[in-house]
């Protein structure tokens, strides 16, 4: 992938030649008009002096027209929905009435039609209404993917209840924190996760939490089926529930009412509950649908978890809002991905970058190209594997998206430009609410001029991506987190003029002369691994609790041929007291797999600045290079135990053959 930052000699002169030919042709048409001829001469002089601008405008016109058309359709749709004042439940009602017998969700051999989703969600709403839950209450949902997942939170939304979508990988302290952060009054737990919740509920201060356990028929037929002693058998109760007409409650739900809490890791440590209003959900799903050109008759294959924005909003929203059929999978499987696409007759599929890399590591087989996919969309497709991926698996179109659960810095690459996360037309560069500003790459802090204001980056200059906050529009609104203090930390004030407010994405971006945006890195104490944001402070806290040491620093390191950054922990251990076996057990029991550091470095002393801050960047540069590091260095083996990093393992990591 090459980023175009300036035209070469041939491009400049070719542009001048075609400009001159075009100008001469125009002159022949207007030569009898002195004023027009003089105006044309002035324009031609400017164009010949600035061939780059002419080249960019000519090259990007087709791209920008397509994007503008789709963007216009999106905004008309959003304005219409705001005018109607419809919630997600109301929107789904309209869709269900127009296609009651169409398949809405399919998973394995199970199917739910739009009518069945409507009836199930009505039962859920009626049931919790009868249980005394009311508008504004919060219920946590801790469950793996299944067709009823969406029906549960959709039913709760019909009576104004907020659903907190808990990451099914969370354990112990993180799980307890997520439940408390949402101020949930109850939790719906899938039987597959009941033992994990039971452990937290019994040993932590969560006795006040009401538990509703949901199970499918396969689980109930299992001899090992176990209902938490304190839990209500939600599945059995819903079978007996007679649904009421919830229309009066649905009409009370407004677009700006909170619909969901979706958790995101940030620099403050533990997960934060991002506020997703009905309008925010609508915008995220609709923006994707229109900008990457998903069609209502598409079958969308979604192998991503439903507690995430990607799977639960960008994927599921195509069914709830636009009537697509969405095929689900409990857990992504590289060996079954293309088989599933063929089985469900999918025409569109979702991805995250890590997923694409896994697919490329599988042996070649006929199913690789026997699918009917015309489009794959998602985020994080690495530039280094982009062309290889689309060629091997015969993917005609890639819709690379950029955005975050809570943020408003949204971009889309709808032009198949390899490596770009999106683009902004040159003519709209200063008008579009997303900008790239100059920043100190080490500290992540914006660089301000003598007036105290920020400055836009030039092409080729790495900067911080920010999005203007305007609560009057769905495209630019920022609802933040359930924790208002955490929300404020994500905002930058007085950016381009006094009084303006921008969302800080935390991402470093570089822009080329065509207006394409390319992701470079993240600022702060968060890095991305296995498609998840990992909070260094959360991992540091867990490790410190396990080993009882004062100082520990966690950071992300690059591994060749692997997407994202792997976790590495440097622990100050001058007396050699760290028990690696004990540490391995503690980390496995307290952190999800994606947050577990891949490397452990034991140091006599962690380097510090004059103000006693640990020099994380210095450690990051040393990475896991065993030839430069004299400290004991340990590697997380597949059995979950840290052992000394051997020369053989080190070489496999460098060659991309370590099975990551």
């Amino acid at each position: 992938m090459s980023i175009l930052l300036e035209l070469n000699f041939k491009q400049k002169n070719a542009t001048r030649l075609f400009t001159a030919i075009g100008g001469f042709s125009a002159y022949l048409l207007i030569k009898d008009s002195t004023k027009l001829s003089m105006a044309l001469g002035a324009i031609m002089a400017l164009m010949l002096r600035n061939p780059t601008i002419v080249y960019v405008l000519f090259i990007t016109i087709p791209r920008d027209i397509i994007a503008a058309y789709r963007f216009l359709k999106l905004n008309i749709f959003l304005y219409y929905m705001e005018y109607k004042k419809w919630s997600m439940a109301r929107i789904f009602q309209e869709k269900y009435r127009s296609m009651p017998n169409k398949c809405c969700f399919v998973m394995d051999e199970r199917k739910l039609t739009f009518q069945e989703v409507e009836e199930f969600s009505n039962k859920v709403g009626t049931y919790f209404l009868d249980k005394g839950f009311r508008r504004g209450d919060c219920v946590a949902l801790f469950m793996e993917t299944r067709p009823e997942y969406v029906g549960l939170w959709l039913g709760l939304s019909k009576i104004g209840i907020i659903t907190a979508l808990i990451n099914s990988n969370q354990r112990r302290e993180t799980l307890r924190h997520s439940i408390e952060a949402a101020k949930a009054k109850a939790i719906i737990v899938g039987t597959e996760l009941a033992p994990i919740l039971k452990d937290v509920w019994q040993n932590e201060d969560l006795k006040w939490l009401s538990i509703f356990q949901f199970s499918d028929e396969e689980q109930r037929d299992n001899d090992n089926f176990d209902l938490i002693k304190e839990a209500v058998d939600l599945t059995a109760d819903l079978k007996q529930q007679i649904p009421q007409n919830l229309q009066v409650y649905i009409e009370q739900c407004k677009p700006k009412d909170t619909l969901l809490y979706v958790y995101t890791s940030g620099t403050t440590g533990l997960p934060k509950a991002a506020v997703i209003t009905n309008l925010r959900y609508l915008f995220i799903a609709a923006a994707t649908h229109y900008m990457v050109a998903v069609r209502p008759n598409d079958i969308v294959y979604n192998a991503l978890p439903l507690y995430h924005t990607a799977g639960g909003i960008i994927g599921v929203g195509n069914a709830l809002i636009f009537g697509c059929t969405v095929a689900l999978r409990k857990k992504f499987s590289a060996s079954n991905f293309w088989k599933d696409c063929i089985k469900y007759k999918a025409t569109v599929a979702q991805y995250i970058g890590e997923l694409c890399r896994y697919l490329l590591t599988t042996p070649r087989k006929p199913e690789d190209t026997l699918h009917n996919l015309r489009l794959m969309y998602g985020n994080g497709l690495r530039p280094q594997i982009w062309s290889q991926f689309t060629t091997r698996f015969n993917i005609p179109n890639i819709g690379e998206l950029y955005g975050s659960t809570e943020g408003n810095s949204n971009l889309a690459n709808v032009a198949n430009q390899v490596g770009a996360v999106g683009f902004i037309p040159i003519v709209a560069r200063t008008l579009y609410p997303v900008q790239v500003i100059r920043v100190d790459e080490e500290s992540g802090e914006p660089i301000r001029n003598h007036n105290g204001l920020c400055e836009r980056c030039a092409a080729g200059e790495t900067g911080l991506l920010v999005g203007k906050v305007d609560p009057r529009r769905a495209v630019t609104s920022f609802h933040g987190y359930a924790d208002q203090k955490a929300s404020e930390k994500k905002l930058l004030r007085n950016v381009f003029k006094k009084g303006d407010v921008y969302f800080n994405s935390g991402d470093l971006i570089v822009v080329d002369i065509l207006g394409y945006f390319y992701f470079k890195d993240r600022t702060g104490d968060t890095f991305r691994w296995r498609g998840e944001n990992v909070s260094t402070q959360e991992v540091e806290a867990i490790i410190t609790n396990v080993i009882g040491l004062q100082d520990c620093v966690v950071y992300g390191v690059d591994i060749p041929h692997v997407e994202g950054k792997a976790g590495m922990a440097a622990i100050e251990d001058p007396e050699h007291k760290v028990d690696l076996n004990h540490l391995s057990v503690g980390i496995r029991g307290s952190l999800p797999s994606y947050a577990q550091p891949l490397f452990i470095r034991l140091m006599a002393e962690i380097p510090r600045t004059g103000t006693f801050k640990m020099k994380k960047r210095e450690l990051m540069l040393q990475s896991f290079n065993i030839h430069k590091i004299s400290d004991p260095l340990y590697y997380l083996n597949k059995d979950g135990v840290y052992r000394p990093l051997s020369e053989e393992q080190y070489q496999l990591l460098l060659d991309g053959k370590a099975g990551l």
Side-chain angles (χ1 to χ4, degrees), residues 115-151:
Q115 181 167 341
E116 287 170 333
V117 173
E118 172 71 5
E119 292 173 351
F120 178 77
S121 60
N122 282 338
K123 281 188 175 184
V124 172
T126 304
Y127 177 80
F128 280 89
L129 194 64
D130 291 345
K131 288 290 183 181
F133 289 84
R134 293 294 180 264
R135 179 181 175 83
D137 289 343
C138 177
V139 172
L141 181 57
F142 187 48
M143 181 184 294
E144 293 182 347
T145 296
R146 51 167 49 89
E148 294 86 359
Y149 188 101
V150 178

Side-chain angles (χ1 to χ4, degrees), residues 81 165 231-232 299 322 429 447 451 483 517 539 557 589 642:
M81 289 294 104
L165 306 183
V232 174
I299 298 174
F322 300 101
R429 178 72 59 82
I447 297 173
N451 293 319
D483 182 348
F517 285 58
V539 180
V557 295
Y642 289 97

Side-chain angles (χ1 to χ4, degrees), residues 65-76:
I65 290 176
I66 292 172
Y69 172 69
R70 294 177 182 178
F71 191 68
L72 178 62
K73 286 176 64 178
L74 166 65
N75 279 275
I76 291 173

Side-chain angles (χ1 to χ4, degrees), residues 382-397:
R382 191 153 50 103
Q384 293 84 348
I385 66 171
W386 186 306
S387 298
Q388 182 184 355
F389 181 81
T390 55
T391 301
R392 173 178 165 181
F393 298 114
N394 191 28
I395 308 298
N397 295 294

Side-chain angles (χ1 to χ4, degrees), residues 584 588 596-598 634-646 649:
S584 300
R588 286 202 309 272
Q596 296 171 14
L598 199 61
Y634 298 86
Y635 178 65
L636 182 61
N637 287 258
K638 293 187 182 299
D639 59 2
V641 177
Y642 289 97
R643 297 187 181 89
L645 178 63
S646 67
Q649 287 174 320

Side-chain angles (χ1 to χ4, degrees), residues 600-612:
I600 297 290
R601 178 178 178 180
L602 300 183
M603 306 181 68
E605 183 180 9
I606 294 176
R608 290 172 171 80
T609 66
T611 55
F612 305 104

Side-chain angles (χ1 to χ4, degrees), residues 474-506:
V475 177
T476 55
S477 61
F478 172 69
H479 300 285
Y481 311 102
D483 182 348
Q484 289 302 312
K485 291 182 180 179
S487 299
E488 184 60 31
K489 290 180 180 179
K490 296 295 290 184
L491 298 177
L492 294 173
R493 301 184 183 277
N494 305 317
V495 177
F496 295 116
K497 64 180 181 180
K498 298 296 181 182
D500 64 8
V501 181
Y502 278 74
F503 169 77
N504 181 352
S505 73

